[in-house]
Amino acid sequence: MLVALKKNLAETEKQDVIAKIENMGFLVHLIEGTNKLVLGGNKNTGSFDPRKIKVIDGVLDVHKITTPYTLAGKEYREDNTVIKIDDVTIGGKQLSIMAGPCSVESEEQIFRIAKIVAENGVKILRGGAFKPRSSPYSFQGLGEQGLKYLRAAADEYGLKVITEILQNQHIEMVYKYTDIFQVGARNMQNFALLKDLSTTNKPVMIKRGISATVEELLMSAEYILAGGNPNVILCERGIRTFEKYTKHTFDLSSIPVIKDKTHLPVIADPSHAAAIRRYVPPMALAAVASGSDGLMLEIHDEPEKALSDGPQALLPNQFGELLNSAKEIAMVVGRSL
Amino acid sequence: MLVALKKNLAETEKQDVIAKIENMGFLVHLIEGTNKLVLGGNKNTGSFDPRKIKVIDGVLDVHKITTPYTLAGKEYREDNTVIKIDDVTIGGKQLSIMAGPCSVESEEQIFRIAKIVAENGVKILRGGAFKPRSSPYSFQGLGEQGLKYLRAAADEYGLKVITEILQNQHIEMVYKYTDIFQVGARNMQNFALLKDLSTTNKPVMIKRGISATVEELLMSAEYILAGGNPNVILCERGIRTFEKYTKHTFDLSSIPVIKDKTHLPVIADPSHAAAIRRYVPPMALAAVASGSDGLMLEIHDEPEKALSDGPQALLPNQFGELLNSAKEIAMVVGRSL
Amino acid sequence: MLVALKKNLAETEKQDVIAKIENMGFLVHLIEGTNKLVLGGNKNTGSFDPRKIKVIDGVLDVHKITTPYTLAGKEYREDNTVIKIDDVTIGGKQLSIMAGPCSVESEEQIFRIAKIVAENGVKILRGGAFKPRSSPYSFQGLGEQGLKYLRAAADEYGLKVITEILQNQHIEMVYKYTDIFQVGARNMQNFALLKDLSTTNKPVMIKRGISATVEELLMSAEYILAGGNPNVILCERGIRTFEKYTKHTFDLSSIPVIKDKTHLPVIADPSHAAAIRRYVPPMALAAVASGSDGLMLEIHDEPEKALSDGPQALLPNQFGELLNSAKEIAMVVGRSL
Amino acid sequence: MLVALKKNLAETEKQDVIAKIENMGFLVHLIEGTNKLVLGGNKNTGSFDPRKIKVIDGVLDVHKITTPYTLAGKEYREDNTVIKIDDVTIGGKQLSIMAGPCSVESEEQIFRIAKIVAENGVKILRGGAFKPRSSPYSFQGLGEQGLKYLRAAADEYGLKVITEILQNQHIEMVYKYTDIFQVGARNMQNFALLKDLSTTNKPVMIKRGISATVEELLMSAEYILAGGNPNVILCERGIRTFEKYTKHTFDLSSIPVIKDKTHLPVIADPSHAAAIRRYVPPMALAAVASGSDGLMLEIHDEPEKALSDGPQALLPNQFGELLNSAKEIAMVVGRSL
């Protein structure tokens, strides 16, 4: 931490400030010829609240210079984390595609769509059984019955499953059916949920909150890592901005930044950001070009009948065409699909 | 809902669009001499996804015109909701003050501060026992032991208690100690938690999420109301903006808006927005002037030793002075304290 | 500036980084026992781009610790700037009220409203003759003719004038009619305009841009001050956020922050933030309670006929009542009106 | 426009509201069986302020349903605008690359860089002679001398020129040296400047303001089009969000949206959004994949000596490699380079 003192502070006032800071457990270095202090020696600087120093009389400003996360950082681990679920890998040279409907709506629907997913060479099936909806009057998902259909459909077609977990009490139940836990954007800072997920042995994909910074996303990953679960996947799915023509602004600049700051894999979800079908393919291709480790895509064979988010679901033929183009772009940037 | 069609649509194309919309269960009125449709007759317009219509060929744009909340709105209930907990009321002419430390840190600490709260004529004691922290390495609260201290201190000084609830499994436990459940900003859209709280018989105060709109806050209130719990309190505590000199931007314009849109009481929490002690009093007075139904204030007698948020806690003497000024301003705007 | 180096850097690599930074004209202090450097001795740190250091191999992060403004800061001048225009002062104990219509629409209109302004004891008349409108098809103001009406009306009722200046070529013309130049939010970073205004001898009020930080507002003030014009007034008029029920979010937390950082006076304009008449009075009172040095208010005697922003204009009787309440609140916070 | 009335309005009250709205020049249709009105027949709905209706007693809400721009919209012109400057086209199948230094710093520098630009097959040279800087103490550009160097360097290597215009008085002077006027993000709503540019016969590229919506960008384009200049180019260069690891958030989702809404070409500028060299190439490739009509790129052969924005400038070899990859991606999405 670096502390700037006010100008024209008398020597005794300066010593006073230093004494107060030393009492907080810091080693204080006064930079000769300046009115600036560098603090060291406190083992908890990551979680220390710099305002404790800011309110001391004589202090002008305080600057934190340690990154608040440790285990998620490149300094902790240089080579990329590659997550393996049997023969499926996430974070390696090959891009990971996760596809399926927004919600599991019926046994027939998820079997039909799982078939399309598998026929396109995709290995991970997505589908929600518990849906967080802003209105209490909207469809809330099929619950455990939906999970059963999802697992059965995935097994029928040799797919892995990713599905959203909404609350701590459901962890044991969802664990039985899924291969990857998905934490939604609204729960990115539901620390109680993150803590309990940190003790399971299945991978967790955390979606970035709609107004969260990348640093905050990495802090949420740190919760999982600190609890002992090394298999964390990050997901960019769009942030809230003033733009009105898209539901969210797909922050693709976050992809190279995340690859620069952490060893964890990052997946891009263009469906939720664009929210309108025709904007999804260009955004998916852009995500691959930007260096994303994979894509999460919503598809539906009868989107006009979908119980949630039908308008953003790709049609089966669009999905196939998109994967072909994505494959070509992947090669341009040194990846495969 | 209002649907604008593209210009120069042939009559048969127009009829086609109308047929598709009617199939969704709507009554469609074509406004003569225009290319606009008004939809009615569907009982679920509140939760209907307008993009389902937006993706139909020939449709230019769709506008939703129903407010998505019902029970929280002024049209549902004209006179203000006044919540009573024994002799304490929230939402009436008299302002409600909720004060106390950020965290319960020890039995001594909460008893000392409860005494200060009571001596200043304040009737509701705040204090956190479960703390949501962005770093897994920060102090996370004393847990149930903290709740016991908080209840005991409140009882000793004749105070009511408000404290934060972080997860569904804790509801039963927290219920034993608190008078009001507080849902924090990060959990404003933790719908699983809101649903379970909607079935208790104790008031729930929901803090506005840091990037939430007032409409979304009212939708979260709707979750509680729809579940059968009429005693919801709203809380403005600052939103995230680009401004860097304050931790959050205290959105005081939301206060008259909330009073205009809903019958529910709204409390202002200037401590979290300002985040620096010296900015709290002017913001608290401004909140009273803007028409807030009360204030939530963090106070501490030894803020330099506080385990969380000490720099934003008011000192006991500042607290007393602030209440005096707030009382005078309350009178100017037709309230009392 | 503070530079954090990467961990495990060899001694020669460290010396390499230091040499590169010294070549940029800095004195480099290595903090013993750490991998951090403090830079000094460069006279242009305020305008130095820290990314020049960030891209050096071996550098982890760079932190700027100097405030970028000088003349606008409290360290440059401790006592508040009080601006005098004949017998009218801005920035002293007494609050300054600036009131009038959004646009000057006709000679009759501005004379009628100037009379109302004067009758309420207010000393500064506002009114726009050049209007920045987002649509080229909207009313763009009466131009110089409007300025003539405005000046005549002000003179008739013994008022001072504030009016907006849109472009450099108009400075000479507007100078003839106004007492205070107003730079609108959209032009806060029109540096060409600020530079030319810095050489006039009339006060300049700069409105904060809708997504500007307080620091950026102070940097724009610095442009005027650096050019030799000490009479700068700042104005908070609302910022863009995600909230939809208000046009802008009135950032009242900026008021105590601005009073803390600078000696310049700050005026609050609640009309543009609220944008709906009934939200203006509570916001105006809140602004006074928060420590604002004055208010800018839009009023109109026939708002339904106004050519711009009628719906946010206060009616004459509302205006009088508001001033009465504002006076009482001013007294509570140690000011007068 | 659509007007929702309050529930339970008496018939006479309803007629009252209708009469008031008719007095504003609208034809009012009451939708049978509802409390909603559709307004038509007023020729100025694009610039009509809906709040004028919102403040009428009995009105619940007002919804504007016309897009505010006309000439910029796809409904006005279906086929894309292709701008031709001699043999250079912008907006056709071939992508347009604009490259060069942030600032023109000296005759030697711009000649050296123009040579690199030309050697890479690029046809448009960028370079700033008037720089808008947030600090009055930063380098402000070489002025007209810089324009002379820029033009001479472009002519030497057979390139077209794009350069920024900061104020109305400079239009005539800049016109002499440039092929395309660039309006920077800070001036996107400098309507006085846009109006004067609308009467020149050279193309104008407008950069999106850092907190502007796409609709506002199109309204600024409308200013140029309405004044008679059909050659407008739009530019996405990043918007302000809460993310701190990048200077701005490059809003690539705006690209397919802009292509959907308007016939005007759109260029992506990844240098200003990323602001750090190593993030520029992935963002540039993503822009091509998203459907952008071209790229604006900052390059420098000695970025460590650059007077502005050196850290975001690509090195000559990076520039060449990037163009190669961009070419391959262009082909995947049906374009050429």
Side-chain angles (χ1 to χ4, degrees), chain A residues 5 14-15 18 28-32 34-38:
Chain A
L5 303 178
K14 206 178 273 193
Q15 290 311 320
I18 292 174
V28 181
H29 310 256
L30 173 62
I31 311 310
E32 219 175 316
T34 75
N35 51 357
K36 291 181 186 104
L37 312 174
V38 175

Side-chain angles (χ1 to χ4, degrees), chain A residues 246-319:
Chain A
T246 44
K247 194 169 168 198
H248 293 104
T249 292
F250 197 33
D251 179 11
L252 277 180
S253 19
S254 76
I255 303 287
V257 169
I258 289 174
K259 298 305 294 178
D260 200 32
K261 301 282 178 190
T262 181
H263 50 85
L264 298 169
V266 59
I267 299 293
D269 172 351
S271 305
H272 279 88
I276 288 289
R277 187 174 301 131
R278 67 180 175 278
Y279 299 149
V280 173
M283 284 299 98
L285 298 181
V288 173
S290 76
S292 165
D293 291 307
L295 296 171
M296 171 168 258
L297 294 166
E298 293 195 359
I299 64 170
H300 207 294
D301 58 341
E302 297 180 330
E304 66 287 358
K305 295 189 188 162
L307 295 176
S308 62
D309 283 345
Q312 73 198 32
L314 292 173
L315 295 167
N317 65 323
Q318 286 180 305
F319 178 53

